Amino acid sequence: MQKTFHCRISTTSERVCVFGTGDMGRSLGLRLLQAGYGVVFGSRRPHSSSSLIPHGAQVLGHAAASQSAHLIFIAVQREHYDFLVPLANQLKGKVLVDLSNNLRKNQYPEANAEYLQSLVPGAEVVKGFNTLSAWSLQNGPSDANRQVYICGESVEAKQAVIAVAIKLGFSALDQGFLSVARELEDFPLQLFPQWRLPLRIAIGLSAAFFFYLLIRDIIYAYVTQSKDISFRIMVSLANKVCPIVSLIMLSLCYLPGVLASFLQLYRGTKYRRFPDWLDRWMLCRKQLGLLALGFAFLHVLYTLIIPIRYYVRFKATEQNRTTQFDTTTAWRGDSYLSLGILGFGLYVLLGITSLPSVINTLSWREFSFIQSKLGHLTLLLCTAHTYLYGWNRFLSSSTYKWYTPPGYMLCLVLPSVVLLLKLLLITPCVDRTITRIRQGWERGADQRNPKDSQPLIP
Ligand code: NAP
Protein backbone atom coordinates (compact mmCIF):
# COMPACT_ATOMS: atom_id res chain seq x y z
CA MET A 1 0.00 0.00 0.00
CA GLN A 2 2.79 2.36 1.03
CA LYS A 3 4.78 1.32 -2.05
CA THR A 4 1.94 2.26 -4.42
CA PHE A 5 1.68 5.64 -2.76
CA HIS A 6 5.38 6.40 -3.17
CA CYS A 7 5.21 5.42 -6.85
CA ARG A 8 2.37 7.77 -7.46
CA ILE A 9 4.08 10.62 -5.65
CA SER A 10 7.35 10.11 -7.46
CA THR A 11 5.74 10.39 -10.89
CA THR A 12 3.58 13.42 -10.18
CA SER A 13 5.27 15.08 -7.20
CA GLU A 14 6.46 18.08 -9.18
CA ARG A 15 2.90 18.86 -10.29
CA VAL A 16 0.30 20.12 -7.91
CA CYS A 17 -3.25 21.20 -8.48
CA VAL A 18 -5.06 24.18 -6.96
CA PHE A 19 -8.86 24.32 -7.07
CA GLY A 20 -10.01 27.95 -7.11
CA THR A 21 -8.43 30.94 -8.81
CA GLY A 22 -9.28 33.46 -6.09
CA ASP A 23 -6.83 35.40 -3.88
CA MET A 24 -5.60 32.39 -1.93
CA GLY A 25 -5.43 30.05 -4.93
CA ARG A 26 -3.46 32.54 -7.03
CA SER A 27 -1.01 33.43 -4.23
CA LEU A 28 -0.40 29.78 -3.42
CA GLY A 29 -0.03 28.95 -7.11
CA LEU A 30 2.54 31.71 -7.54
CA ARG A 31 4.55 30.51 -4.55
CA LEU A 32 4.40 26.92 -5.81
CA LEU A 33 5.64 28.02 -9.24
CA GLN A 34 8.48 29.97 -7.63
CA ALA A 35 9.46 26.84 -5.69
CA GLY A 36 9.70 24.87 -8.92
CA TYR A 37 6.37 23.03 -8.96
CA GLY A 38 4.22 22.71 -12.03
CA VAL A 39 0.84 24.20 -11.18
CA VAL A 40 -2.53 23.29 -12.66
CA PHE A 41 -5.53 25.30 -11.56
CA GLY A 42 -8.99 23.77 -11.43
CA SER A 43 -11.64 26.37 -12.17
CA ARG A 44 -15.35 26.61 -12.97
CA ARG A 45 -14.53 28.90 -15.87
CA PRO A 46 -11.06 27.86 -17.09
CA HIS A 47 -11.18 30.16 -20.13
CA SER A 48 -12.10 33.37 -18.38
CA SER A 49 -9.80 32.63 -15.41
CA SER A 50 -6.67 32.09 -17.50
CA SER A 51 -5.89 35.81 -17.71
CA LEU A 52 -5.78 36.07 -13.88
CA ILE A 53 -3.51 33.20 -13.01
CA PRO A 54 0.27 33.47 -12.53
CA HIS A 55 2.42 33.11 -15.61
CA GLY A 56 3.51 29.50 -16.20
CA ALA A 57 0.44 27.86 -14.65
CA GLN A 58 -2.27 26.00 -16.52
CA VAL A 59 -6.04 26.31 -15.99
CA LEU A 60 -8.41 23.44 -16.65
CA GLY A 61 -11.83 22.35 -15.56
CA HIS A 62 -11.92 20.69 -12.13
CA ALA A 63 -12.16 17.12 -13.46
CA ALA A 64 -9.30 17.50 -15.94
CA ALA A 65 -7.11 19.39 -13.47
CA SER A 66 -7.56 16.72 -10.78
CA GLN A 67 -6.20 14.08 -13.18
CA SER A 68 -2.90 15.90 -13.55
CA ALA A 69 -1.77 15.86 -9.90
CA HIS A 70 -1.94 13.75 -6.80
CA LEU A 71 -1.93 16.69 -4.40
CA ILE A 72 -4.82 19.13 -4.68
CA PHE A 73 -5.16 22.33 -2.69
CA ILE A 74 -8.81 23.33 -2.21
CA ALA A 75 -8.76 27.14 -2.27
CA VAL A 76 -12.54 27.48 -2.36
CA GLN A 77 -14.92 28.55 0.42
CA ARG A 78 -16.54 25.71 2.36
CA GLU A 79 -20.04 26.81 1.27
CA HIS A 80 -19.17 25.73 -2.29
CA TYR A 81 -17.65 22.34 -1.44
CA ASP A 82 -20.64 20.51 -2.95
CA PHE A 83 -19.03 20.97 -6.40
CA LEU A 84 -16.62 18.22 -5.28
CA VAL A 85 -19.33 15.57 -4.85
CA PRO A 86 -19.61 14.70 -8.59
CA LEU A 87 -15.79 14.48 -8.66
CA ALA A 88 -15.63 11.98 -5.78
CA ASN A 89 -14.57 9.08 -8.00
CA GLN A 90 -11.77 11.02 -9.72
CA LEU A 91 -10.53 12.26 -6.35
CA LYS A 92 -10.27 8.77 -4.84
CA GLY A 93 -6.76 8.26 -3.38
CA LYS A 94 -5.78 11.91 -3.91
CA VAL A 95 -4.50 14.15 -1.16
CA LEU A 96 -6.87 17.10 -0.68
CA VAL A 97 -5.48 20.01 1.31
CA ASP A 98 -8.26 21.97 2.96
CA LEU A 99 -7.23 25.64 3.23
CA SER A 100 -10.56 27.00 4.34
CA ASN A 101 -11.33 29.26 7.28
CA ASN A 102 -14.62 30.47 8.72
CA LEU A 103 -15.94 33.90 9.58
CA ARG A 104 -16.60 32.99 13.22
CA LYS A 105 -16.05 30.17 15.68
CA ASN A 106 -18.54 27.26 15.68
CA GLN A 107 -20.07 28.51 12.41
CA TYR A 108 -20.71 24.91 11.34
CA PRO A 109 -21.41 21.78 13.37
CA GLU A 110 -18.23 20.06 12.14
CA ALA A 111 -14.81 21.26 11.00
CA ASN A 112 -14.54 22.21 7.32
CA ALA A 113 -11.90 19.53 6.77
CA GLU A 114 -14.13 16.86 8.32
CA TYR A 115 -16.99 18.03 6.12
CA LEU A 116 -14.72 17.79 3.07
CA GLN A 117 -13.71 14.26 4.09
CA SER A 118 -17.38 13.28 4.37
CA LEU A 119 -18.06 14.61 0.84
CA VAL A 120 -15.06 12.82 -0.67
CA PRO A 121 -14.58 9.73 1.51
CA GLY A 122 -12.08 8.11 -0.88
CA ALA A 123 -9.61 11.00 -0.66
CA GLU A 124 -7.01 11.70 2.05
CA VAL A 125 -7.94 15.08 3.52
CA VAL A 126 -5.22 17.13 5.19
CA LYS A 127 -5.97 20.43 6.91
CA GLY A 128 -3.21 22.94 6.41
CA PHE A 129 -1.92 26.32 5.21
CA ASN A 130 -5.11 28.00 6.49
CA THR A 131 -3.19 30.00 9.09
CA LEU A 132 -1.28 31.81 6.31
CA SER A 133 -2.79 34.71 4.45
CA ALA A 134 -2.81 35.16 0.69
CA TRP A 135 -0.76 38.30 1.30
CA SER A 136 1.96 36.51 3.26
CA LEU A 137 2.14 33.79 0.64
CA GLN A 138 2.64 36.42 -2.03
CA ASN A 139 5.31 38.10 0.05
CA GLY A 140 7.54 35.11 -0.52
CA PRO A 141 9.95 33.37 1.86
CA SER A 142 11.04 36.73 3.33
CA ASP A 143 7.72 36.93 5.20
CA ALA A 144 8.14 36.44 8.95
CA ASN A 145 5.23 34.01 9.14
CA ARG A 146 7.05 30.74 8.59
CA GLN A 147 4.94 28.09 10.29
CA VAL A 148 2.36 25.85 8.68
CA TYR A 149 0.13 23.74 10.91
CA ILE A 150 -1.28 20.57 9.46
CA CYS A 151 -3.42 17.66 10.62
CA GLY A 152 -4.97 14.62 9.00
CA GLU A 153 -5.55 10.88 9.35
CA SER A 154 -3.02 9.60 6.81
CA VAL A 155 0.66 9.85 7.73
CA GLU A 156 1.73 9.55 4.08
CA ALA A 157 -0.65 12.27 2.96
CA LYS A 158 0.63 14.57 5.70
CA GLN A 159 4.22 13.80 4.70
CA ALA A 160 3.43 14.80 1.12
CA VAL A 161 1.98 18.12 2.33
CA ILE A 162 4.90 18.69 4.72
CA ALA A 163 7.33 18.14 1.84
CA VAL A 164 5.58 20.85 -0.19
CA ALA A 165 5.49 23.23 2.79
CA ILE A 166 9.22 22.77 3.37
CA LYS A 167 9.98 23.34 -0.30
CA LEU A 168 7.97 26.58 -0.12
CA GLY A 169 10.20 27.71 2.76
CA PHE A 170 7.90 26.97 5.71
CA SER A 171 8.40 24.81 8.73
CA ALA A 172 5.49 22.40 9.06
CA LEU A 173 4.07 21.35 12.42
CA ASP A 174 2.04 18.14 12.44
CA GLN A 175 -0.77 18.69 14.94
CA GLY A 176 -2.22 15.17 14.77
CA PHE A 177 -5.48 13.75 13.47
CA LEU A 178 -8.26 15.47 11.52
CA SER A 179 -10.20 15.98 14.76
CA VAL A 180 -7.76 18.85 15.47
CA ALA A 181 -8.94 20.64 12.30
CA ARG A 182 -11.49 22.76 14.17
CA GLU A 183 -8.73 24.12 16.39
CA LEU A 184 -6.65 25.02 13.33
CA GLU A 185 -9.69 26.68 11.76
CA ASP A 186 -10.27 28.73 14.90
CA PHE A 187 -6.64 29.81 15.00
CA PRO A 188 -6.95 32.73 12.51
CA LEU A 189 -10.06 33.95 14.39
CA GLN A 190 -8.22 34.46 17.66
CA LEU A 191 -7.98 38.03 18.88
CA PHE A 192 -4.97 38.41 21.20
CA PRO A 193 -6.15 35.56 23.48
CA GLN A 194 -3.20 35.82 25.88
CA TRP A 195 -3.44 39.60 26.10
CA ARG A 196 -7.08 39.75 27.15
CA LEU A 197 -6.67 39.20 30.88
CA PRO A 198 -3.54 41.39 31.23
CA LEU A 199 -5.25 44.18 29.24
CA ARG A 200 -8.36 43.96 31.41
CA ILE A 201 -6.22 44.13 34.54
CA ALA A 202 -4.28 47.11 33.16
CA ILE A 203 -7.44 48.99 32.17
CA GLY A 204 -9.19 48.14 35.46
CA LEU A 205 -6.25 49.23 37.59
CA SER A 206 -5.69 52.41 35.57
CA ALA A 207 -9.36 53.41 35.84
CA ALA A 208 -9.59 52.57 39.56
CA PHE A 209 -6.45 54.50 40.47
CA PHE A 210 -7.29 57.40 38.15
CA PHE A 211 -10.63 57.98 39.91
CA TYR A 212 -9.12 57.37 43.35
CA LEU A 213 -6.40 59.97 42.74
CA LEU A 214 -8.83 62.34 41.05
CA ILE A 215 -10.91 62.40 44.23
CA ARG A 216 -7.92 62.59 46.59
CA ASP A 217 -5.86 65.17 44.70
CA ILE A 218 -8.13 67.31 42.54
CA ILE A 219 -11.60 67.14 44.09
CA TYR A 220 -10.20 67.31 47.63
CA ALA A 221 -8.33 70.57 46.81
CA TYR A 222 -11.47 72.00 45.23
CA VAL A 223 -13.78 71.08 48.13
CA THR A 224 -11.52 71.93 51.06
CA GLN A 225 -9.49 74.88 49.64
CA SER A 226 -11.64 76.00 46.67
CA LYS A 227 -8.55 75.55 44.49
CA ASP A 228 -8.94 74.50 40.87
CA ILE A 229 -5.94 72.33 40.06
CA SER A 230 -7.74 70.24 37.44
CA PHE A 231 -4.90 70.94 34.95
CA ARG A 232 -2.89 68.38 36.95
CA ILE A 233 -4.99 65.60 35.47
CA MET A 234 -2.99 65.61 32.26
CA VAL A 235 0.53 65.13 33.60
CA SER A 236 0.70 64.86 37.41
CA LEU A 237 -2.17 62.43 37.72
CA ALA A 238 -1.06 60.40 34.72
CA ASN A 239 2.45 60.28 36.16
CA LYS A 240 1.03 58.86 39.38
CA VAL A 241 -1.26 56.28 37.76
CA CYS A 242 1.44 54.88 35.43
CA PRO A 243 4.03 53.86 38.06
CA ILE A 244 1.30 52.55 40.37
CA VAL A 245 -0.17 50.30 37.67
CA SER A 246 3.32 49.30 36.52
CA LEU A 247 4.42 48.20 40.00
CA ILE A 248 1.22 46.29 40.72
CA MET A 249 1.40 44.52 37.35
CA LEU A 250 5.05 43.62 37.88
CA SER A 251 4.06 42.10 41.24
CA LEU A 252 1.27 40.21 39.50
CA CYS A 253 3.95 38.66 37.25
CA TYR A 254 5.78 37.21 40.23
CA LEU A 255 2.86 36.43 42.55
CA PRO A 256 1.62 33.30 40.69
CA GLY A 257 5.11 31.73 40.77
CA VAL A 258 5.30 32.32 44.51
CA LEU A 259 1.78 30.95 45.05
CA ALA A 260 2.62 27.89 42.94
CA SER A 261 5.70 27.22 45.10
CA PHE A 262 3.64 27.42 48.29
CA LEU A 263 1.01 25.14 46.78
CA GLN A 264 3.69 22.57 45.94
CA LEU A 265 5.10 22.88 49.46
CA TYR A 266 1.63 22.38 50.95
CA ARG A 267 0.84 19.40 48.73
CA GLY A 268 4.35 17.95 49.04
CA THR A 269 4.43 17.08 45.33
CA LYS A 270 4.75 18.67 41.93
CA TYR A 271 2.68 15.95 40.29
CA ARG A 272 -0.70 17.50 41.00
CA ARG A 273 -2.13 20.03 38.59
CA PHE A 274 -2.38 23.64 39.62
CA PRO A 275 -5.91 25.05 39.71
CA ASP A 276 -7.03 26.36 36.30
CA TRP A 277 -7.02 30.00 37.42
CA LEU A 278 -3.37 29.69 38.51
CA ASP A 279 -2.43 27.97 35.26
CA ARG A 280 -4.09 30.72 33.23
CA TRP A 281 -2.46 33.39 35.35
CA MET A 282 1.01 31.85 34.90
CA LEU A 283 0.50 31.63 31.15
CA CYS A 284 -0.06 35.37 30.82
CA ARG A 285 2.92 36.52 32.91
CA LYS A 286 4.85 37.62 29.84
CA GLN A 287 1.99 39.88 28.71
CA LEU A 288 1.54 41.24 32.24
CA GLY A 289 5.26 42.03 32.33
CA LEU A 290 5.29 43.72 28.92
CA LEU A 291 2.31 45.90 29.87
CA ALA A 292 4.01 46.74 33.17
CA LEU A 293 7.09 47.78 31.18
CA GLY A 294 4.89 49.95 28.96
CA PHE A 295 3.50 51.79 32.00
CA ALA A 296 7.01 52.17 33.45
CA PHE A 297 8.14 53.65 30.13
CA LEU A 298 5.28 56.18 30.22
CA HIS A 299 6.26 57.07 33.79
CA VAL A 300 9.82 57.78 32.60
CA LEU A 301 8.56 59.97 29.74
CA TYR A 302 6.20 61.93 32.04
CA THR A 303 9.02 62.40 34.54
CA LEU A 304 11.42 63.69 31.87
CA ILE A 305 9.02 66.43 30.80
CA ILE A 306 8.47 67.78 34.34
CA PRO A 307 11.08 70.59 34.04
CA ILE A 308 9.45 72.04 30.89
CA ARG A 309 5.97 72.22 32.39
CA TYR A 310 4.58 75.76 32.74
CA TYR A 311 3.36 75.05 36.28
CA VAL A 312 6.80 73.88 37.40
CA ARG A 313 8.63 76.83 35.78
CA PHE A 314 6.12 79.26 37.33
CA LYS A 315 6.60 77.71 40.78
CA ALA A 316 10.39 77.91 40.40
CA THR A 317 10.38 81.66 39.66
CA GLU A 318 7.78 82.32 42.37
CA GLN A 319 9.80 80.56 45.10
CA ASN A 320 12.93 82.68 45.12
CA ARG A 321 13.35 82.27 48.83
CA THR A 322 16.63 80.68 49.91
CA THR A 323 16.50 77.42 51.75
CA GLN A 324 19.31 75.63 53.55
CA PHE A 325 20.87 72.64 51.89
CA ASP A 326 19.73 69.41 53.57
CA THR A 327 22.06 66.45 53.06
CA THR A 328 19.42 63.91 54.15
CA THR A 329 16.97 65.20 51.57
CA ALA A 330 19.71 65.12 48.93
CA TRP A 331 20.54 61.51 49.82
CA ARG A 332 16.89 60.58 49.72
CA GLY A 333 16.29 62.29 46.37
CA ASP A 334 19.37 60.81 44.71
CA SER A 335 18.70 57.31 46.07
CA TYR A 336 15.10 57.51 44.93
CA LEU A 337 16.13 58.52 41.40
CA SER A 338 19.01 56.07 41.21
CA LEU A 339 16.88 53.08 42.28
CA GLY A 340 14.25 54.13 39.76
CA ILE A 341 16.82 54.25 36.96
CA LEU A 342 18.34 50.88 37.92
CA GLY A 343 14.88 49.33 38.22
CA PHE A 344 13.87 50.66 34.81
CA GLY A 345 17.13 49.41 33.26
CA LEU A 346 16.43 45.89 34.51
CA TYR A 347 12.78 46.23 33.47
CA VAL A 348 13.94 46.87 29.89
CA LEU A 349 16.29 43.90 30.07
CA LEU A 350 13.38 41.67 31.16
CA GLY A 351 11.31 42.99 28.26
CA ILE A 352 14.07 42.33 25.73
CA THR A 353 14.68 38.80 27.00
CA SER A 354 11.00 37.96 26.60
CA LEU A 355 11.29 38.36 22.80
CA PRO A 356 11.23 34.95 21.06
CA SER A 357 14.30 35.80 18.96
CA VAL A 358 16.28 36.58 22.14
CA ILE A 359 14.87 33.62 24.11
CA ASN A 360 16.14 31.31 21.35
CA THR A 361 19.72 32.45 21.97
CA LEU A 362 19.55 31.80 25.74
CA SER A 363 20.00 28.55 27.61
CA TRP A 364 17.23 27.61 30.04
CA ARG A 365 19.51 28.56 32.96
CA GLU A 366 20.27 31.99 31.47
CA PHE A 367 16.61 32.61 30.78
CA SER A 368 15.47 31.65 34.27
CA PHE A 369 18.34 33.66 35.84
CA ILE A 370 17.17 36.79 34.02
CA GLN A 371 13.43 36.29 34.34
CA SER A 372 13.39 34.98 37.91
CA LYS A 373 16.45 36.33 39.76
CA LEU A 374 16.80 39.64 37.92
CA GLY A 375 13.01 39.88 37.75
CA HIS A 376 12.70 39.76 41.53
CA LEU A 377 15.59 42.21 41.80
CA THR A 378 13.68 44.56 39.49
CA LEU A 379 10.64 44.26 41.73
CA LEU A 380 12.81 44.95 44.78
CA LEU A 381 14.41 48.05 43.20
CA CYS A 382 11.08 49.46 42.01
CA THR A 383 9.49 48.81 45.41
CA ALA A 384 12.40 50.49 47.20
CA HIS A 385 12.11 53.40 44.73
CA THR A 386 8.46 53.81 45.76
CA TYR A 387 9.22 53.51 49.49
CA LEU A 388 11.84 56.27 49.10
CA TYR A 389 9.27 58.39 47.29
CA GLY A 390 7.02 58.06 50.35
CA TRP A 391 9.93 58.54 52.78
CA ASN A 392 8.59 59.90 56.10
CA ARG A 393 5.26 60.95 54.64
CA PHE A 394 3.92 57.59 55.76
CA LEU A 395 3.86 58.98 59.30
CA SER A 396 2.34 62.39 58.56
CA SER A 397 -1.41 62.66 59.15
CA SER A 398 -1.79 65.33 56.41
CA THR A 399 -0.90 62.62 53.88
CA TYR A 400 -4.19 60.86 54.57
CA LYS A 401 -6.67 63.20 52.85
CA TRP A 402 -10.22 62.28 53.80
CA TYR A 403 -8.61 59.42 55.78
CA THR A 404 -7.45 57.74 52.56
CA PRO A 405 -3.83 56.69 51.93
CA PRO A 406 -2.07 58.02 48.81
CA GLY A 407 -1.99 55.80 45.73
CA TYR A 408 1.71 54.93 46.06
CA MET A 409 1.07 53.52 49.56
CA LEU A 410 -1.72 51.31 48.26
CA CYS A 411 0.41 50.05 45.40
CA LEU A 412 3.18 49.02 47.79
CA VAL A 413 1.03 46.38 49.47
CA LEU A 414 1.22 43.74 46.74
CA PRO A 415 4.94 44.00 45.88
CA SER A 416 5.80 43.98 49.59
CA VAL A 417 3.76 40.79 50.07
CA VAL A 418 5.35 39.15 47.01
CA LEU A 419 8.87 40.07 48.16
CA LEU A 420 8.20 38.81 51.71
CA LEU A 421 6.83 35.51 50.42
CA LYS A 422 9.81 35.18 48.08
CA LEU A 423 12.15 35.85 51.00
CA LEU A 424 10.46 33.00 52.88
CA LEU A 425 10.91 30.72 49.87
CA ILE A 426 14.62 31.38 49.55
CA THR A 427 15.40 30.67 53.20
CA PRO A 428 17.64 27.55 53.09
CA CYS A 429 15.24 25.05 54.71
CA VAL A 430 12.24 26.00 52.55
CA ASP A 431 14.39 26.31 49.45
CA ARG A 432 15.80 22.80 50.00
CA THR A 433 12.33 21.30 50.30
CA ILE A 434 10.98 23.08 47.23
CA THR A 435 14.07 22.08 45.21
CA ARG A 436 13.54 18.41 46.14
CA ILE A 437 9.86 18.60 45.24
CA ARG A 438 10.79 20.03 41.84
CA GLN A 439 13.26 17.19 41.36
CA GLY A 440 10.42 14.69 41.79
CA TRP A 441 10.38 14.01 45.56
CA GLU A 442 6.92 13.41 47.05
CA ARG A 443 6.08 13.72 50.72
CA GLY A 444 3.91 10.57 50.99
CA ALA A 445 6.44 8.50 49.05
CA ASP A 446 8.86 8.54 52.01
CA GLN A 447 6.48 6.48 54.12
CA ARG A 448 5.76 4.13 51.24
CA ASN A 449 9.48 3.56 50.54
CA PRO A 450 11.51 4.24 53.70
CA LYS A 451 14.80 3.73 51.79
CA ASP A 452 14.17 6.98 49.90
CA SER A 453 13.51 8.85 53.10
CA GLN A 454 15.98 11.56 53.97
CA PRO A 455 15.42 14.35 56.43
CA LEU A 456 14.55 17.51 54.57
CA ILE A 457 15.23 19.89 57.38
CA PRO A 458 18.13 18.46 59.38
P1 NAP B 1 -11.94 34.04 -3.19
O1 NAP B 1 -10.98 35.09 -3.59
O2 NAP B 1 -13.37 34.38 -3.06
O3 NAP B 1 -11.79 32.81 -4.19
C1 NAP B 1 -12.54 31.66 -4.08
C2 NAP B 1 -12.51 30.89 -5.36
O4 NAP B 1 -13.35 29.78 -5.23
C3 NAP B 1 -13.08 31.67 -6.55
O5 NAP B 1 -12.11 32.44 -7.16
C4 NAP B 1 -13.62 30.58 -7.44
O6 NAP B 1 -12.59 30.14 -8.33
C5 NAP B 1 -13.92 29.46 -6.48
N1 NAP B 1 -15.39 29.35 -6.33
C6 NAP B 1 -16.24 30.32 -5.97
N2 NAP B 1 -17.52 29.86 -5.95
C7 NAP B 1 -17.44 28.55 -6.33
C8 NAP B 1 -18.40 27.55 -6.51
N3 NAP B 1 -19.70 27.76 -6.31
N4 NAP B 1 -17.98 26.33 -6.91
C9 NAP B 1 -16.66 26.10 -7.11
N5 NAP B 1 -15.70 27.01 -6.96
C10 NAP B 1 -16.08 28.23 -6.57
O7 NAP B 1 -11.50 33.40 -1.79
P2 NAP B 1 -10.03 33.23 -1.22
O8 NAP B 1 -9.70 34.42 -0.41
O9 NAP B 1 -9.09 32.84 -2.31
O10 NAP B 1 -10.22 32.02 -0.22
C11 NAP B 1 -10.32 30.70 -0.68
C12 NAP B 1 -10.25 29.75 0.49
O11 NAP B 1 -9.00 29.92 1.15
C13 NAP B 1 -11.35 30.04 1.52
O12 NAP B 1 -11.82 28.83 2.04
C14 NAP B 1 -10.61 30.81 2.59
O13 NAP B 1 -11.18 30.60 3.86
C15 NAP B 1 -9.23 30.21 2.51
N6 NAP B 1 -8.18 31.12 3.01
C16 NAP B 1 -8.05 32.36 2.44
C17 NAP B 1 -7.04 33.20 2.89
C18 NAP B 1 -6.84 34.56 2.28
O14 NAP B 1 -5.94 35.29 2.75
N7 NAP B 1 -7.56 34.93 1.27
C19 NAP B 1 -6.20 32.79 3.94
C20 NAP B 1 -6.37 31.53 4.49
C21 NAP B 1 -7.37 30.69 3.99
P3 NAP B 1 -12.99 29.82 -9.87
O15 NAP B 1 -13.77 31.00 -10.37
O16 NAP B 1 -11.68 29.66 -10.54
O17 NAP B 1 -13.79 28.57 -9.88
Side-chain angles (χ1 to χ4, degrees):
M1 182 71 186
Q2 215 170 345
K3 217 172 177 180
T4 327
F5 178 84
H6 280 306
C7 273
R8 262 195 319 228
I9 287 290
S10 63
T11 52
T12 56
S13 63
E14 294 308 310
R15 234 168 176 221
V16 284
C17 177
V18 180
F19 278 4
T21 57
D23 296 339
M24 189 65 178
R26 286 201 311 272
S27 304
L28 182 64
L30 178 68
R31 185 91 175 242
L32 286 163
L33 281 167
Q34 287 165 345
Y37 286 98
V39 177
V40 182
F41 281 96
S43 172
R44 292 165 300 170
R45 291 180 284 270
H47 299 294
S48 53
S49 306
S50 56
S51 57
L52 301 168
I53 59 151
H55 183 69
Q58 216 186 341
V59 203
L60 302 171
H62 291 122
S66 67
Q67 294 308 305
S68 59
H70 181 66
L71 194 69
I72 303 171
F73 288 93
I74 313 291
V76 176
Q77 273 94 357
R78 172 200 162 118
E79 302 88 84
H80 309 309
Y81 276 3
D82 46 4
F83 82 95
L84 292 162
V85 177
L87 301 171
N89 269 338
Q90 277 125 305
L91 296 176
K92 222 174 230 168
K94 307 260 178 192
V95 176
L96 302 186
V97 187
D98 177 70
L99 306 174
S100 65
N101 286 321
N102 295 322
L103 292 175
R104 55 177 191 278
K105 286 186 179 182
N106 301 323
Q107 192 176 349
Y108 298 103
E110 75 286 75
N112 299 350
E114 289 171 320
Y115 173 61
L116 177 62
Q117 185 70 80
S118 70
L119 294 179
V120 194
E124 301 287 7
V125 173
V126 175
K127 180 87 210 177
F129 286 78
N130 65 307
T131 50
L132 300 173
S133 67
W135 181 82
S136 72
L137 273 167
Q138 246 176 10
N139 244 359
S142 58
D143 191 85
N145 192 355
R146 300 188 67 81
Q147 277 176 342
V148 170
Y149 300 94
I150 62 154
C151 69
E153 300 299 322
S154 156
V155 176
E156 289 89 352
K158 285 195 280 189
Q159 274 167 358
V161 180
I162 288 173
V164 175
I166 291 172
K167 208 164 166 195
L168 295 191
F170 295 107
S171 56
L173 298 172
D174 184 351
Q175 300 291 293
F177 295 115
L178 210 57
S179 50
V180 183
R182 188 184 275 278
E183 235 171 83
L184 298 193
E185 285 164 16
D186 285 345
F187 199 75
L189 296 173
Q190 287 180 347
L191 187 69
F192 305 117
Q194 282 161 334
W195 284 91
R196 256 182 238 159
L197 181 65
L199 275 171
R200 280 186 195 142
I201 293 174
I203 294 169
L205 283 173
S206 307
F209 275 99
F210 175 80
F211 287 114
Y212 183 76
L213 295 173
L214 185 76
I215 294 168
R216 259 188 54 89
D217 293 4
I218 315 291
I219 299 179
Y220 177 84
Y222 190 75
V223 172
T224 58
Q225 299 150 34
S226 303
K227 260 169 65 180
D228 178 10
I229 53 166
S230 54
F231 68 91
R232 286 191 177 203
I233 289 175
M234 295 312 288
V235 175
S236 304
L237 215 66
N239 199 20
K240 282 182 181 181
V241 171
C242 288
I244 287 173
V245 176
S246 176
L247 189 56
I248 293 179
M249 291 194 67
L250 188 63
S251 324
L252 289 176
C253 280
Y254 291 99
L255 185 58
V258 168
L259 291 180
S261 301
F262 275 101
L263 203 62
Q264 285 180 334
L265 267 178
Y266 172 74
R267 290 170 167 177
T269 177
K270 68 165 186 176
Y271 296 113
R272 272 175 63 195
R273 268 193 55 133
F274 293 129
D276 278 350
W277 59 266
L278 190 55
D279 257 346
R280 275 206 302 277
W281 190 354
M282 294 221 268
L283 283 175
C284 65
R285 281 181 293 182
K286 175 177 162 176
Q287 288 74 13
L288 280 169
L290 287 175
L291 284 175
L293 172 61
F295 279 97
F297 190 68
L298 287 178
H299 172 48
V300 170
L301 289 183
Y302 276 122
T303 307
L304 288 176
I305 59 145
I306 286 176
I308 58 166
R309 287 178 67 205
Y310 166 71
Y311 168 70
V312 175
R313 282 183 287 130
F314 178 80
K315 277 270 174 197
T317 47
E318 190 192 46
Q319 287 176 353
N320 48 8
R321 64 195 151 94
T322 48
T323 47
Q324 272 212 323
F325 183 80
D326 178 12
T327 312
T328 315
T329 310
W331 260 101
R332 178 216 146 198
D334 282 6
S335 313
Y336 155 73
L337 291 171
S338 178
L339 289 181
I341 291 167
L342 289 173
F344 184 67
L346 285 180
Y347 232 130
V348 173
L349 182 72
L350 294 179
I352 293 172
T353 47
S354 70
L355 298 173
S357 53
V358 180
I359 294 173
N360 290 341
T361 65
L362 298 173
S363 70
W364 168 246
R365 210 167 156 202
E366 289 162 347
F367 177 75
S368 81
F369 171 76
I370 294 173
Q371 290 297 332
S372 177
K373 301 249 176 356
L374 293 188
H376 282 100
L377 182 61
T378 312
L379 185 63
L380 180 68
L381 288 172
C382 295
T383 308
H385 168 72
T386 315
Y387 270 110
L388 281 175
Y389 174 76
W391 195 239
N392 53 5
R393 278 180 283 179
F394 288 91
L395 305 171
S396 155
S397 62
S398 63
T399 310
Y400 301 89
K401 296 172 190 166
W402 280 335
Y403 304 106
T404 56
Y408 66 85
M409 277 189 204
L410 288 180
C411 86
L412 276 168
V413 175
L414 201 59
S416 306
V417 169
V418 174
L419 288 169
L420 273 175
L421 291 177
K422 185 67 189 173
L423 196 67
L424 264 176
L425 285 173
I426 57 170
T427 52
C429 54
V430 182
D431 184 49
R432 204 173 309 135
T433 313
I434 200 84
T435 306
R436 287 195 68 198
I437 289 175
R438 285 182 184 161
Q439 283 167 351
W441 175 82
E442 287 185 278
R443 195 179 293 130
D446 277 0
Q447 280 118 39
R448 287 197 293 276
N449 188 2
K451 275 189 194 164
D452 290 347
S453 170
Q454 279 172 27
L456 286 172
I457 305 166

